[in-house]
Amino acid sequence: MKLNKIKDNVFYIDGAVNMGLIAADDGSALLLDAGIDDSVSRKAKRVVEESGFELKGIIITHAHADHSGGAPYLVKATGAKVYSSAFEKTALEFPVWEPLYLFSGAYPPAPLRNKFLFAPQVKVDGVLEPGSHNIEGIEVEVVDLSGHTLGQIGIKVDGVLFCADAVIAPEYIEKHGVPLNAHIEKALATLELLEKTSASFFVPAHGAPVDDIKPVVEANRQRIKDTIEYITCLLKEPRTAEEVLKGVCDRFKIEMTTMTQYYLMNLTVMAYIGYLLDNGLITKFYENNRQYFCEKSK
Ligand SMILES: [Zn+2]
């Protein structure tokens, strides 16, 4: 884990989740995302301080535990203020939301109350709408990158866009099978926006920074399109949601072995089913107390 310079005052700290660092000339700095837990954020703090910067603010791009779990330690250790979008603030302040929505809104059992899904609570001091902001004396542009979650934001500064989980590196697509998205229509719109964004550098949270985002966007879009096509084809015959989930995992070589993995994939598959229903491509019916989805007869 080290501080990598992109522009004079713009850096990223590489890791399982890349963090951004935006500094002012006086040495005050904003951290973008906080890593999954104390041990990650403690290392990040050391890297920031050894480089002579003072942490004044933390922007959390979205309320997934691997991005926010390290925040409470940083707040306690540095007094930094926390910022997020209004929507993500709700889950950052009530972090049970993530395992709760994964488990259909029922209280999540112990195997889902882990550090990958259930982050420690962090209070959000400031809410960010898309547009220009001066945060702790540092100018940044907040960009709506919803789709992966409903309130995900990216941060653009000095021609560098920190794009959180709006895209994942092509090698991660192969590894994970289908990228996690909660809202397919918005995820596709965000990919289009990324393609049109003039920036000289893009930093995704998972994968190496790139100067050309187009091949990365194309790989993510292609996997979304392949998934839509596969599910549409599968639903020529009526299937339950669980059958669709199994089909998608088989098709994209995903092997589910944990409850965490099962419910994250389930969320992604439900996002596709919702997308197909809303676009009038499939319908639903009920038989023998089972819910089936199938192609809509034309
Ligand atoms: Zn995420």
Side-chain angles (χ1 to χ4, degrees), residues 134-209:
N134 184 308
I135 303 173
E136 308 295 328
I138 298 170
E139 294 289 335
V140 300
E141 187 187 336
V142 174
V143 185
D144 173 4
L145 296 180
S146 53
H148 174 68
T149 63
L150 265 59
Q152 178 176 256
I153 53 171
I155 299 295
K156 195 176 168 198
V157 62
D158 206 7
V160 179
L161 178 64
F162 292 92
C163 50
D165 291 355
V167 286
I168 56 175
E171 60 269 28
Y172 284 94
I173 299 177
E174 286 318 311
K175 195 175 146 205
H176 295 299
V178 182
L180 174 61
N181 279 305
H183 193 309
I184 304 305
E185 193 106 47
K186 285 191 169 171
L188 287 167
T190 286
L191 291 178
E192 208 165 302
L193 181 136
L194 285 180
E195 226 168 24
K196 288 182 183 151
T197 300
S198 58
S200 51
F201 226 69
F202 296 82
V203 187
H206 304 282

Side-chain angles (χ1 to χ4, degrees), residues 111-112 114 116-117 255-266:
L112 291 178
N114 60 55
F116 300 99
L117 301 179
E255 201 195 337
M256 294 189 296
T257 55
T258 66
M259 211 169 179
T260 296
Q261 212 184 355
Y262 178 93
Y263 279 100
L264 287 171
M265 265 318 293
N266 183 61

